[in-house]
Amino acid sequence: MSIANELKFMWSLVWDPGRHAKRQLDLGGALKLYYTLAVFAFIAYAVVGSIAVTLGLGFRSAPVSSMTVLQAFATSFGYLVIVGGGVLLLFIAIPLSLLIDALLYQIVAKFFLKLWNGPYERTFTALVFSIFPVLLLYWLVPIPIVDGIFIVLAPIWSLVILVIALAAQQRIRRMDALLILLLKSFLIAMVLLLVGLSVTSAIAYLVGSVTHAGIISFPWHSLRYPFWNVTASGQVK
């Protein structure tokens, strides 16, 4: 497809995913589609973000005539954040997360629940389709107050498209696709919880070992006995 047709396809899928989410792509085709659309999302984001920085939206700015060196540096830094953040998120973080996410869905649905036998490419294609609302609305991020529309609407819209696209790509029921999404999210949350508990336990054990070794000491006797019953030498009256 031409670039114009790809943009039209994104717009059509966002508004009618049930009809357009059946399009089959291999891994390379899905990545090409994503990056083609991400370029336009980045351009729109960079233009709007640069205007927002110039106008001082979200910044404490002064008129140009009274702008100090520090304020000029802050403005230049704002441009750098807009461009650098957009490149990092749109061209590295999001596609990498989609590749990993597709693998997790395959493990849960194909090898654990055995709800589909379709290849990895179809799952990844569904995830690419689900990210279209983010690409479509990402230019709202630099605008204060309006960015709330992106924060609230894009994730919900993406989840709806993901359920529909997974069902269409892997030829399963939408309820099964929703079940897979919820189960995968639950398992990820449990893994993160276990990791957090393990790290907390390790830190507590380390602190306890250091304290027990005498490297760090606390007046534990003052917790057991009132301070007025403890002499200057530390003995209990």
Side-chain angles (χ1 to χ4, degrees), residues 99-115:
L99 289 167
I100 297 173
D101 228 18
L103 178 61
L104 295 176
Y105 276 108
Q106 283 293 101
I107 293 174
V108 172
K110 185 174 182 178
F111 300 106
F112 181 61
L113 296 179
K114 299 186 182 299
L115 286 177

Side-chain angles (χ1 to χ4, degrees), residues 13 16-22 126 129 157-174 177-178 181:
L13 187 140
D16 190 4
R19 179 181 178 185
H20 298 279
K22 299 176 182 179
F129 291 166
W157 206 349
S158 291
L159 289 176
V160 172
I161 293 178
L162 178 58
V163 170
I164 297 173
L166 279 176
Q169 290 289 323
Q170 296 292 353
R171 298 178 181 178
I172 60 175
R173 297 181 305 170
R174 292 180 182 178
L178 178 61
L181 187 152

Side-chain angles (χ1 to χ4, degrees), residues 20 80 87 117 142 167 198 200 213 217:
H20 298 279
L80 181 62
V87 170
N117 292 315
S198 299
T200 303
S217 61

Side-chain angles (χ1 to χ4, degrees), residues 42-66:
F42 173 75
I43 293 174
Y45 165 76
V47 170
V48 174
S50 298
I51 295 174
V53 172
T54 302
L55 296 177
L57 298 178
F59 300 90
R60 291 185 178 181
S61 59
V64 177
S65 58
S66 61

Side-chain angles (χ1 to χ4, degrees), residues 68-228:
T68 64
V69 175
L70 182 60
Q71 289 169 328
F73 174 78
T75 301
S76 300
F77 182 73
Y79 292 128
L80 181 62
V81 169
I82 289 293
V83 175
V87 170
L88 181 63
L89 183 69
L90 292 173
F91 298 111
I92 300 177
I94 289 181
L96 183 60
S97 67
L98 293 179
L99 289 167
I100 297 173
D101 228 18
L103 178 61
L104 295 176
Y105 276 108
Q106 283 293 101
I107 293 174
V108 172
K110 185 174 182 178
F111 300 106
F112 181 61
L113 296 179
K114 299 186 182 299
L115 286 177
W116 69 52
N117 292 315
Y120 172 86
E121 290 79 4
R122 292 186 181 180
T123 304
F124 181 72
T125 298
L127 285 165
V128 169
F129 291 166
S130 72
I131 212 67
F132 284 0
V134 174
L135 300 179
L136 188 63
L137 299 175
Y138 194 66
W139 61 274
L140 295 174
V141 172
I143 307 176
I145 301 177
V146 180
D147 61 343
I149 298 176
F150 171 83
I151 295 172
V152 174
L153 188 58
I156 297 175
W157 206 349
S158 291
L159 289 176
V160 172
I161 293 178
L162 178 58
V163 170
I164 297 173
L166 279 176
Q169 290 289 323
Q170 296 292 353
R171 298 178 181 178
I172 60 175
R173 297 181 305 170
R174 292 180 182 178
M175 286 301 299
D176 290 337
L178 178 61
L179 172 64
I180 293 169
L181 187 152
L182 294 175
L183 181 59
K184 176 256 181 185
S185 300
F186 175 77
L187 293 175
I188 294 297
M190 289 297 100
V191 170
L192 293 177
L193 178 61
L194 290 176
V195 171
L197 291 175
S198 299
V199 172
T200 303
S201 299
I203 294 175
Y205 175 78
L206 179 62
V207 172
S209 300
V210 171
T211 304
H212 182 72
I215 300 176
I216 300 176
S217 61
F218 297 94
W220 301 111
H221 55 268
S222 65
L223 298 180
R224 184 175 179 181
Y225 301 100
F227 67 89
W228 54 80

